[in-house]
Amino acid sequence: MPDAISPTDLVRRSNLYRVSTGLGASWADVNGFACPADYGDAAGEASAAAHLGIADLTALPRAGYKGWDMAGWTASQGVDLPDPNQARPQSDGTLACRLSGGELLLLSDDGAASATIDKLADAWTMEDAVCYPVPRSDTNARIAITGASVPHMMAKMCGIDLRAHRFDNHRIAQTSVARMNAILIRNDRGDTYALDMVLDSASIVYMWECLTDAMAEFDGRAVGLDAVRALAG
Amino acid sequence: MKIMPCPLNGERNISEFAYGGEVLDLPAPDCDDETWIDFVYLENNTAGVVREWWYHTPTAYWFIAERDTRTDEILKTYPANEVFKDRVDFAAPEAPAAKE
């Protein structure tokens, strides 16, 4: 068995890492970025993820592009763009989230790689730029909130009606959650309702505490990347 | 709770928005100081229908709203590019003459 990874051994880690360590996280190395793989209770986390779980997925690749001809440029690179405030999975599993006419957010799937993000990063140059990169990987955190009870819990924190029949899969709400700006993307894992929340990286400890407090009455818990991956099958 | 219909995000709580002042025509760059002061600092304070800049904070999105200040009713909102269709370019100031 390989030696256990410590988050401080790796080059990058989420601002939540001390909290995750306190919860008993075992760590995975995602492209040099420490990610909580599990919290030592695989069976409990798997059932929580289907019911109500939160996972710090900040380690997974992200990218953003914004500018007057973002749509033209990303389409020329083969991105299949949805309408504003909608997301669309690409052939490699990357989720293309269109935040407005001229802004795109790319989230990898729960694997550790995104061919679309790598391709755009290689193709973009300053010289012929019609849009510019947004440093989503450095400035944002990502939390997956999974399970059937998510809309009930989120109703305590957010003014948007996120119930499954009102907020379709791959819809986006850019709104205020617990008085903080956040992007909510419905991104079901398999048949399980799930939201990906993208927020300011420096505020993840605050948001995690708010989520932990809100989910207590629904018996939610922190789950690792492995439990989220298992949902998608 | 007051609701603002955002052209990008749909109906949202007014607490997600910030007010950005009246929509005004930019004066000519070489106008006199009084015109600039009026443009930058003075509000018309109209009683009636006004056009205003509003900003949706979570998306960093500016748009225009038409509002009746007598009833505080929001009549209409639309993207700014429905009004501002052309890029505004300014001539570069002339370089100061070289000292002899």
Side-chain angles (χ1 to χ4, degrees):
Chain A
M1 190 178 163
D3 292 340
I5 297 171
S6 163
T8 49
D9 291 342
L10 299 178
V11 179
R12 303 180 70 195
R13 52 202 163 267
S14 160
N15 287 328
L16 191 71
Y17 84 93
R18 291 186 183 88
V19 174
S20 303
T21 302
L23 292 169
S26 301
W27 297 85
D29 180 346
V30 176
N31 308 320
F33 204 129
C35 184
D38 66 68
Y39 293 91
D41 176 14
E45 288 170 49
S47 83
H51 165 62
L52 182 57
I54 55 174
D56 178 10
L57 301 188
T58 303
L60 299 182
R62 278 180 303 289
Y65 292 90
K66 185 173 185 175
W68 70 271
D69 197 21
M70 177 284 294
W73 182 72
T74 52
S76 75
Q77 297 298 321
V79 178
D80 181 13
L81 278 178
D83 290 333
N85 278 323
Q86 298 280 343
R88 182 170 292 162
Q90 307 296 298
S91 55
D92 65 342
T94 303
L95 195 62
C97 310
R98 190 162 185 186
L99 304 181
S100 71
E103 182 165 12
L104 181 69
L105 163 69
L106 295 160
L107 298 177
S108 81
D109 64 9
D110 297 327
S114 163
T116 303
I117 291 175
D118 295 344
K119 183 180 176 188
L120 292 183
D122 287 343
W124 190 86
T125 58
M126 182 74 94
E127 284 68 35
D128 47 16
V130 292
C131 60
Y132 56 90
V134 183
R136 295 279 179 192
S137 183
D138 304 310
T139 59
N140 285 151
R142 175 179 175 187
I143 301 174
I145 312 167
T146 68
S149 297
V150 172
H152 308 296
M153 186 217 21
M154 291 301 289
K156 295 162 68 177
M157 306 175 68
C158 171
I160 304 297
D161 188 347
L162 297 170
R163 288 176 296 171
H165 64 286
R166 295 297 302 269
F167 192 71
D168 297 334
N169 197 21
H170 297 143
R171 262 189 75 181
I172 299 174
Q174 303 176 75
T175 185
S176 177
V177 179
R179 295 187 174 265
M180 269 200 56
N181 294 334
I183 303 168
L184 296 174
I185 303 142
R186 182 164 166 205
N187 184 16
D188 288 1
R189 306 303 205 277
D191 294 330
T192 306
Y193 183 105
L195 295 173
D196 276 288
M197 181 192 289
V198 176
L199 72 155
D200 168 40
S201 65
S203 306
I204 188 174
V205 174
Y206 163 78
M207 184 60 79
W208 187 268
E209 283 179 6
C210 291
L211 288 165
T212 304
D213 180 62
M215 71 185 183
E217 70 171 289
F218 302 102
D219 297 323
R221 61 161 292 175
V223 301
L225 175 61
D226 292 349
V228 178
R229 281 178 173 163
L231 283 178
Chain B
M1 184 187 295
K2 194 166 172 58
I3 300 293
M4 168 71 92
C6 172
L8 176 63
N9 298 285
E11 294 188 335
R12 291 297 170 84
N13 189 339
I14 196 76
S15 66
E16 293 190 15
F17 297 87
Y19 171 71
E22 297 168 333
V23 176
L24 299 170
D25 291 328
L26 192 70
D30 56 355
C31 68
D32 58 25
D33 289 351
E34 247 175 60
T35 310
W36 270 119
I37 290 166
D38 186 40
F39 174 74
V40 176
Y41 296 109
L42 304 181
E43 295 277 335
N44 288 325
N45 210 16
T46 308
V49 177
V50 293
R51 283 201 309 175
E52 300 171 327
W53 287 104
W54 282 83
Y55 177 72
H56 184 242
T57 315
T59 45
Y61 179 72
W62 285 102
F63 61 95
I64 296 171
E66 291 184 6
R67 186 171 69 92
D68 191 326
T69 56
R70 294 163 300 187
T71 57
D72 199 19
E73 186 185 0
I74 297 160
L75 305 170
K76 195 174 160 190
T77 60
Y78 42 89
N81 62 10
E82 288 188 13
V83 175
F84 299 95
K85 296 180 190 302
D86 300 315
R87 179 188 166 111
V88 179
D89 282 311
F90 298 99
E94 285 179 26
K99 285 182 184 168
E100 290 181 6

